[in-house]
Amino acid sequence: MSYQGRFRVWRGDSEGGELHDFTVEVNEGEVVLDIIHRLQATQAPDLAVRWNCKAGKCGSCSAEVNGRPRLLCMTRMSTFAEQDTITVTPLRTFPVQRDLVTDVSFNYEKAREIPAFAPPKDLRPGEYRMQQVDVQRSQEFRKCIECFLCQNVCHVVRDHEDNKESFAGPRHLMRIAELDMHPLDTADRRPAAREEHGLGLCNITKCCTEVCPENIHITDNALIPLKERVVDRHYDPVVWLGNKIRRRRG
Ligand code: SF4
Ligand code: F3S
Ligand code: FES
């Protein structure tokens, strides 16, 4: 069954823009990305949208539908009533390039700031031996498709542009947690998590977890445990004494 759906789509560029009204055919089983493609094919051939897999796996088609961060290819039209007007806007936290396409390079810059996996020096690739139980906790974080919806929704940067420099965001703090939980990683990730990547700015509002299309428990399983690990290191009297003695000797 088809019907004529009402849409408001943001069009513009880095200089500014506005919402445009469209009426587009909707067919059974379609997702919002299908509608955007039909809009391109029939009424707005120059409408910019980023997408790749149309299967919820590449993380390219992130945008906001009725103000909620979502993957366009995984948002079913059946979620909405036929009489609803559906608003599609670009991610709010990142600068707009054109229409629904934003510049997400902030996320790649933050990713580069995290030192890579650091296995013991005497261990060569191929000699890594671990049990499933060793990676049980951090395995969940590997499901991340880097859609950056969590980065977009976190109020620490969404509402405070000036925090971008000092806050890596949930996706990257989760990466630090993943490495810190890795049994073969030798780096101590905790001081940098606190001092360079802004772990303390996260006040566990859990908005990141709510929008994650991979249903990763970012806050409960990565951010809170990382906070606990940082606190243990910082306030454990034995660790504190050890650091103090080391500093004195230095
Ligand atoms: Fe997307 Fe989830 Fe990865 Fe964040 S953690 S980038 S929301 S898949
Ligand atoms: Fe932001 Fe998630 Fe923390 S939304 S405040 S990173 S729990
Ligand atoms: Fe790949 Fe949507 S197009 S996740």
Side-chain angles (χ1 to χ4, degrees):
M1 267 232 318
S2 300
Y3 65 93
Q4 296 297 312
R6 286 199 301 262
F7 294 85
R8 308 198 80 195
V9 180
W10 195 89
R11 301 218 56 192
D13 55 24
S14 55
E15 305 291 310
E18 59 188 0
L19 289 166
H20 289 231
D21 291 312
F22 296 98
T23 301
V24 190
E25 181 186 310
V26 180
N27 299 306
E28 200 169 341
E30 288 186 332
V31 294
V32 175
L33 186 60
D34 290 316
I35 307 306
I36 297 295
H37 283 162
R38 184 165 299 120
L39 191 52
Q40 279 181 324
T42 58
Q43 302 176 52
D46 60 340
L47 175 70
V49 60
R50 188 184 282 130
W51 69 285
N52 208 314
C53 68
K54 204 170 176 281
K57 285 296 156 212
C58 72
S60 312
C61 66
S62 304
E64 302 196 3
V65 181
N66 292 347
R68 188 181 164 89
R70 287 177 173 278
L71 295 179
L72 295 179
C73 74
M74 296 304 281
T75 306
R76 294 197 166 276
M77 286 304 301
S78 55
T79 321
F80 312 103
E82 289 187 12
Q83 64 274 17
D84 288 353
T85 298
I86 297 158
T87 305
V88 187
T89 47
L91 296 176
R92 200 180 91 187
T93 302
F94 309 117
V96 170
Q97 288 185 318
R98 197 156 69 85
D99 302 333
L100 301 177
V101 175
T102 48
D103 176 359
V104 292
S105 50
F106 163 79
N107 300 291
Y108 298 108
E109 284 155 23
K110 292 293 173 186
R112 271 195 292 272
E113 288 171 13
I114 300 170
F117 171 57
K121 287 201 171 33
D122 53 345
L123 215 58
R124 286 173 305 180
E127 294 177 347
Y128 301 172
R129 294 286 179 271
M130 289 179 296
Q131 301 288 328
Q132 176 60 32
V133 68
D134 294 329
V135 288
Q136 200 74 32
R137 291 181 76 192
S138 59
Q139 196 169 11
E140 176 191 12
F141 312 143
R142 303 290 294 181
K143 290 194 298 177
C144 176
I145 58 170
E146 304 217 306
C147 64
F148 306 130
L149 291 180
C150 59
Q151 300 282 101
N152 170 60
V153 81
C154 176
H155 69 99
V156 175
V157 284
R158 189 176 175 95
D159 299 332
H160 307 279
E161 178 74 23
D162 48 338
N163 279 341
K164 279 189 175 166
E165 202 175 314
S166 48
F167 186 62
R171 191 276 168 266
H172 303 298
L173 291 169
M174 181 177 84
R175 171 70 177 150
I176 296 171
E178 179 196 330
L179 289 165
D180 203 53
M181 290 175 192
H182 197 296
L184 290 180
D185 188 70
T186 56
D188 183 359
R189 312 261 168 191
R190 290 167 288 179
R194 182 171 170 270
E195 285 148 30
E196 292 164 34
H197 304 293
L199 181 64
L201 290 171
C202 163
N203 52 358
I204 50 177
T205 53
K206 299 197 181 186
C207 312
C208 51
T209 303
E210 274 175 35
V211 299
C212 178
E214 287 293 316
N215 296 316
I216 304 172
H217 295 91
I218 308 169
T219 320
D220 287 348
N221 292 353
L223 306 185
I224 293 174
L226 186 60
K227 278 174 178 280
E228 287 167 353
R229 284 165 176 250
V230 168
V231 168
D232 282 353
R233 185 187 192 281
H234 206 65
Y235 298 107
D236 182 315
V238 179
V239 176
W240 177 82
L241 195 64
N243 285 342
K244 204 174 163 74
I245 292 167
R246 244 198 324 276
R247 270 202 301 274
R248 280 218 178 132
R249 284 196 180 139

